[in-house]
Amino acid sequence: MMKGFATKAIHGPLAKKDPHGALRMPVYDSVAFEHESAQDIHLAFAGRHPAQSYTRISNPTVEDYERRVQLLSGAQGVVAVASGMAAISNVILALAEAGTNIVTTQYLFGNTYSLFENTLRPWGLDIKYVDLSVPQRLAEAIDQDTRVVFLESITNPQLQVADLRQIAEIAHQHEVPVVVDGTVTTPYLLCCKEFGVDLEVISSSKYISGGATTIGGLILDYGSFSWRHNPKVAPWVAKFGPNALLVWLRSEVYRNMGACLSPHNATLQTLGLETLSLRIQKSCDNALALAKYLEGLTEKISRVNYPGLPSSHYHDIAQRQFKRGFGGILTFHLDSKEQCFRFMDSVRLIRRATNINDNKTLIMHPASTIYCEYSPLQQREMGVCDSLLRLSVGIEDMEDLVDDLEAALASI
Ligand SMILES: Cc1ncc(COP(=O)(O)O)c(C=O)c1O
């Protein structure tokens, strides 16, 4: 009966009928939950009776949000966490350990790179960086200690789109799972399952939250990877089969790291899910229109990057992989850092803020902000330079955005 994304997002049923007939899952603001008997509490702790015990491990409001994401994405299981960074760190900590490695690309969100280099490497995890737009490089880099292949669905701010199907084929030949950070695409634009992606991590602080209302993260297991190939998860497979990773995660890494999603954030993000399709579609449509407009201004703008433009190196792959649009982020080059700063100081409607996929259009100079802790050489390797500006396109009326950009360009 429910085929469409928007219908599912709005009408996905509650797991249990609410005693008052509430149409929306109430916020369960309780840290602990009571059990009828000592035996019941024992069974809950032993994972043999599905019941709530403590909100750091599970909570009815958070669980309802997870079920809705599962329904929309086709994932086999979903765990909601405190932030996008918590989703990434939980997954890596669950699958890898000292003496093993992950294979990824230099084109990563700055904090993800910092997590890999500054937090996880000192604990003994090796991180190998390869150019994933050339999948052969992946085959060369994977070895018997590789636990994860990690990449972003559209890299930010480089806007590279790798061929997920090819990457999954190579990783699976070596019995290694593919983890994709699908923050900027969400299941509305990218059906990870169709391309062989095993796990998706999402910063739901972006589109899903309703336009940057609350911090949150998601881990989605698409059920395609046989967890017996991962030595840490393998002991759980006999008991929990294809759900082994998420059951184990919830009862160990997720529980112990304590980065759970608050029930208040879960309810706001559930509300965000209901309008996700409208907002993300408008943001993608605006971004494509603005990319075309800016690409025409060749006197002042030397290059516009957007996977939806035929001039993008990644346009063909993006067309194959993304169903309804190419995301809300575009970048463009002016002459210099000084010119970028003057441009940023001249916009009146567009906000100077470090976020993406807000309802508001936001502008950033990546080199002097997110990437300022890196040397110019490292920045170049990460695809960032002084003349680059990033626009995260919101859902405003196009005419107002064009007026603002036109006025700012005229003033530099
Ligand atoms: C692609 C990507 N992944 C992960 C994150 C981290 O998300 P959060 O801020 O929710 O921890 C971000 C944040 O901007 C991001 O852009």
Side-chain angles (χ1 to χ4, degrees), residues 117-128:
E117 282 303 308
N118 304 330
T119 310
L120 297 178
R121 194 185 278 286
W123 284 94
L125 182 71
D126 189 18
I127 298 100
K128 300 185 187 185

Side-chain angles (χ1 to χ4, degrees), residues 315-336:
H315 185 59
D316 289 348
I317 302 176
Q319 271 189 315
R320 266 202 314 277
Q321 283 177 185
F322 308 136
K323 275 189 283 198
R324 297 151 162 142
F326 300 94
I329 302 172
L330 63 91
T331 62
F332 56 97
H333 290 267
L334 297 180
D335 266 359
S336 60

Side-chain angles (χ1 to χ4, degrees), residues 89-104:
S89 48
N90 264 269
V91 163
I92 303 294
L93 290 173
L95 296 177
E97 60 196 317
T100 68
N101 66 70
I102 61 176
V103 181
T104 185

Side-chain angles (χ1 to χ4, degrees), residues 83-85 88 109 112 152 156 181 183 203 205-206 215-216 356:
S83 66
M85 289 315 299
I88 299 168
F109 168 57
T112 305
E152 294 172 11
N156 160 27
D181 181 334
T183 297
S203 165
S205 325
K206 317 293 177 198
I215 290 275
I356 50 170

Side-chain angles (χ1 to χ4, degrees), residues 21 92 108 197 284 344 401:
I92 303 294
L108 291 172
V197 172
C284 291
M344 280 186 70
L401 292 174

Side-chain angles (χ1 to χ4, degrees), residues 155-221:
T155 71
N156 160 27
Q158 309 83 7
L159 306 179
Q160 185 187 73
V161 182
D163 188 326
L164 295 177
R165 196 166 272 138
Q166 269 194 41
I167 287 173
E169 263 171 36
I170 295 169
H172 293 162
Q173 277 161 17
H174 295 82
E175 292 165 348
V176 174
V178 176
V179 181
V180 164
D181 181 334
T183 297
V184 299
T185 41
T186 81
Y188 179 75
L189 295 182
L190 170 65
C191 176
C192 277
K193 202 173 176 171
E194 201 180 313
F195 296 96
V197 172
D198 303 296
L199 291 177
E200 185 176 14
V201 287
I202 297 179
S203 165
S204 51
S205 325
K206 317 293 177 198
Y207 276 130
I208 291 180
S209 71
T213 61
T214 37
I215 290 275
L218 291 161
I219 302 167
L220 294 82
D221 183 344

